[in-house]
Amino acid sequence: MSPKSCLGCTKWFLFLLNLLFFFLGIFLLAFSFWLLFDRQSFATVLGSPLVSLRVWSYAFSGVGIATMLLGFLGCLGALKEVKVMLGLYFGLLLLLFTAQITVAIIVYTQRTTLATKVAVYTEELIRGYPAQGPPGDTHESWDAVQQQLGCCGWKGPQDWDHHDDATRDRDGAIACSCLRAHNSTHKTPSMFPHGRCPMAALQDIFPRGCKERVQTWLAGNLVTIVGVCIGIGLGELFLLMLSMFLVRNLDSHYEKLLRGL
């Protein structure tokens, strides 16, 4: 294959890949708006708390905008052979790749500290769980975690014994989300139970803490998580090499963009 043909194949391959990313970004952004403005329907169908859906909508918005921006730069830069746009695309992709590596290193090296902070946060969350009235957004999210993972408390059901004075009049009260079966007062089966319930029989309470359940889930899905991370990293490296190949081999005096306007 001649150098010119190789350059052309690289150009169109990079264009098609980033065109796919651009449309993927549009889809994620549209889905985030749908999730944000129709949260009640999603909450009913999925049984997720509204605050979790709001956080997910913001996350999808950020990922969608970033994906659209990278796809746009890669598409136009490859199609019109604009070195500046390809260089900017390479720089942003390299920044993203470096950030991912940095986050992975920090999480791995500081995993003990992070686990301690999570434990302290969840203990404070449980301690501040309201005895009466509807729970707050963070407490609803914790209820969803306990129901989805089938756990109770961070270390175990005994965490709910360390409530503050404001909740001591609730003799043996525990979060309803710790119970295996939904409370009968919850009419909508798809929604997670909230609030406190009288202490039930031990066989009706999830015996394991959420810390153990999270560790079990991570151990069971470690290969999948590492595989996905490696796949994303290799894909980003591949795109980095393609964009740098184009930048280094395009004619520096090529002004196809200006002639095409």
Side-chain angles (χ1 to χ4, degrees):
M1 182 181 291
S2 65
K4 185 176 181 180
S5 300
C6 183
L7 188 64
C9 289
T10 303
K11 163 187 163 180
W12 285 105
F13 189 66
L14 186 63
F15 167 77
L16 292 176
L17 279 178
N18 284 279
L19 184 63
L20 176 64
F21 291 148
F22 182 76
F23 284 116
L24 177 62
I26 292 177
F27 171 78
L28 290 175
L29 189 60
F31 181 74
S32 69
F33 286 139
W34 184 22
L35 191 63
L36 183 62
F37 293 109
D38 196 19
R39 283 178 292 162
Q40 193 63 49
S41 298
F42 278 94
T44 303
V45 173
L46 300 178
S48 299
L50 294 178
V51 62
S52 299
L53 295 177
R54 184 168 64 245
V55 171
W56 278 110
S57 66
Y58 293 153
F60 280 128
S61 296
V63 173
I65 292 173
T67 305
M68 284 178 60
L69 177 61
L70 284 174
F72 174 77
L73 291 174
C75 279
L76 194 58
L79 183 64
K80 297 295 185 177
E81 301 183 10
V82 184
K83 277 191 170 184
V84 175
M85 298 190 74
L86 288 173
L88 183 59
Y89 171 80
F90 177 85
L92 291 176
L93 197 58
L94 180 62
L95 180 64
L96 178 63
F97 180 76
T98 306
Q100 290 171 344
I101 296 296
T102 303
V103 169
I105 293 175
I106 292 176
V107 170
Y108 180 77
T109 57
Q110 302 295 321
R111 59 188 183 278
T112 303
T113 303
L114 291 174
T116 302
K117 290 183 177 180
V118 171
V120 172
Y121 175 77
T122 53
E123 289 172 0
E124 293 178 353
L125 193 66
I126 293 172
R127 192 176 299 114
Y129 198 96
Q132 296 178 350
D137 290 342
T138 54
H139 300 110
E140 283 191 10
S141 298
W142 182 245
D143 285 333
V145 169
Q146 291 190 138
Q147 277 288 310
Q148 289 176 330
L149 295 181
C151 57
C152 184
W154 181 244
K155 298 178 182 177
Q158 67 274 11
D159 289 348
W160 290 95
D161 295 334
H162 302 291
H163 42 67
D164 53 24
D165 292 337
T167 62
R168 281 181 183 158
D169 57 336
R170 308 280 293 182
D171 185 23
I174 195 171
C176 297
S177 56
C178 281
L179 304 180
R180 296 180 184 273
H182 288 190
N183 190 282
S184 59
T185 59
H186 297 279
K187 302 299 183 182
T188 307
S190 61
M191 298 297 291
F192 293 126
H194 302 303
R196 288 182 178 268
C197 295
M199 182 65 76
L202 290 179
Q203 61 268 21
D204 295 332
I205 301 175
F206 294 123
R208 296 183 179 181
C210 293
K211 176 183 179 180
E212 182 181 353
R213 297 294 293 176
V214 169
Q215 291 174 340
T216 302
W217 184 88
L218 289 175
N221 295 274
L222 183 61
V223 175
T224 302
I225 295 173
V226 173
V228 170
C229 292
I230 292 177
I232 293 175
L234 291 177
E236 291 174 344
L237 283 175
F238 181 66
L239 292 174
L240 284 170
M241 289 188 293
L242 288 181
S243 59
M244 181 52 64
F245 176 79
L246 282 180
V247 170
R248 291 179 59 87
N249 289 277
L250 288 178
D251 186 0
S252 59
H253 301 290
Y254 195 61
E255 297 180 354
K256 187 173 183 179
L257 175 62
L258 297 178
R259 292 200 296 268
L261 296 176

